[in-house]
């Protein structure tokens, strides 16, 4: 039986209170250094950073679960994974329709940035 090492709950710089160092390249590098085979990208109420990480990770043979961490109105957190980028995009549309519109306060929640392959 083949064993796999995985971390199924990784936040990027897009998540509230996440470290700005959680860029796609840093996440992939860290996963490879730890000997992981599978990672799950699960930012809070957002899937916007998943695609770039999945595309980069594929080049290194690292499998990415396409996901998000959805917070309910009762403040319960659910990890949700989708089978492909199309379904993930549909989920993002649903989240944007139903998510409370609260202006981000970087002093409280961090900067919540989306980063490209070059860490811009």
């Amino acid at each position: 039986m083949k064993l796999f090492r995985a971390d199924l709950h990784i936040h990027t710089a897009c998540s509230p209170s996440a470290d700005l160092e959680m860029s796609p390249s840093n996440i992939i590098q860290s996963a490879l250094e730890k000997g992981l085979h599978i990672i799950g990208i699960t930012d809070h109420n957002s899937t916007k950073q998943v695609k770039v990480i999945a595309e980069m990770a594929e080049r290194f043979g690292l499998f990415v679960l396409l996901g998000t961490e959805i917070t309910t109105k009762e403040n319960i957190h659910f990890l949700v994974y989708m089978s492909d980028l199309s379904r993930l995009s549909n989920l993002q549309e649903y989240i944007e329709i139903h998510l409370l519109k609260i202006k981000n306060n970087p002093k409280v929640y961090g900067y919540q940035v989306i980063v490209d392959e070059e860490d811009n």
Side-chain angles (χ1 to χ4, degrees):
M1 173 170 57
K2 182 163 175 137
L3 297 177
F4 295 94
R5 293 186 57 144
D7 183 343
L8 307 181
H9 188 183
I10 297 174
H11 295 294
T12 75
C14 184
S15 276
S17 303
D19 191 313
L20 287 175
E21 296 298 314
M22 295 302 289
S23 68
S25 59
N26 286 344
I27 289 170
I28 292 169
Q29 180 180 349
S30 178
L32 294 172
E33 287 171 0
K34 293 176 182 177
L36 298 178
H37 303 97
I38 304 166
I39 59 173
I41 303 302
T42 54
D43 285 319
H44 287 274
N45 302 309
S46 176
T47 67
K48 294 178 180 178
Q49 194 67 75
V50 176
K51 182 179 178 186
V52 67
I53 293 175
E55 289 172 350
M56 290 174 67
E58 186 175 18
R59 293 181 224 143
F60 297 95
L62 183 62
F63 183 81
V64 176
L65 286 170
L66 314 171
T68 185
E69 181 174 347
I70 295 178
T71 306
T72 69
K73 66 181 178 180
E74 299 84 7
N75 201 29
I76 297 170
H77 297 212
F78 289 94
L79 297 181
V80 178
Y81 302 99
M82 292 292 159
S83 59
D84 59 60
L85 290 170
S86 175
R87 289 184 175 159
L88 191 73
S89 178
N90 291 340
L91 176 60
Q92 182 63 44
E93 289 176 18
Y94 180 87
I95 290 169
E96 289 175 6
I97 290 168
H98 294 90
L99 190 64
L100 292 175
K101 307 298 184 230
I102 301 171
K103 185 174 172 140
N104 183 45
N105 180 346
K107 292 180 183 177
V108 177
Y109 299 111
Y111 288 101
Q112 299 183 41
V113 297
I114 298 171
V115 182
D116 66 16
E117 287 189 32
E118 286 82 36
D119 290 349
N120 297 310

